Amino acid sequence: MIVQICVGSSCHLKGSEQIVTLLQKALEENDLDNEVTLAGSFCSGKCNRIGVTVQVDDDVFTGVTPETFRTFFERNILDRMKEEA
């Protein structure tokens, strides 16, 4: 699985660095750090007024915030990893 976090200027200002940190920690806590490749990407053209844009494989999600991160992670990373297992 490849997870790309937008680090373009808009997402950077909306906390992409914090989302990267949360992702790294969540992957480590769930022993997925060797199963998921984290990458940064420049603007994906999906800017939203709130939150950061994150792409999981071919699916793009907008508006990821520290408050919505846990739900995003469980639905879009943990659940997918379980389906692939």
Side-chain angles (χ1 to χ4, degrees):
M1 175 181 289
I2 298 172
V3 178
Q4 297 180 66
I5 301 97
C6 180
V7 293
S9 57
S10 179
C11 284
H12 174 73
L13 292 172
K14 294 175 194 158
S16 60
E17 187 175 331
Q18 191 174 8
I19 299 301
V20 169
T21 301
L22 289 169
L23 268 167
Q24 289 172 324
K25 184 177 178 183
L27 291 172
E28 198 172 290
E29 288 172 353
N30 290 279
D31 293 320
L32 295 174
D33 42 342
N34 292 323
E35 304 292 325
V36 176
T37 300
L38 283 184
S41 67
F42 289 103
C43 187
S44 58
K46 303 286 185 185
C47 299
N48 196 351
R49 285 194 249 186
I50 298 170
V52 175
T53 300
V54 179
Q55 182 171 338
V56 179
D57 291 329
D58 294 327
D59 297 318
V60 177
F61 303 91
T62 59
V64 179
T65 66
E67 294 78 25
T68 64
F69 174 78
R70 182 57 51 190
T71 300
F72 165 81
F73 183 79
E74 289 172 2
R75 288 183 184 163
N76 301 296
I77 296 176
L78 281 181
D79 288 351
R80 286 184 189 208
M81 294 302 287
K82 290 175 186 173
E83 288 173 9
E84 291 177 10

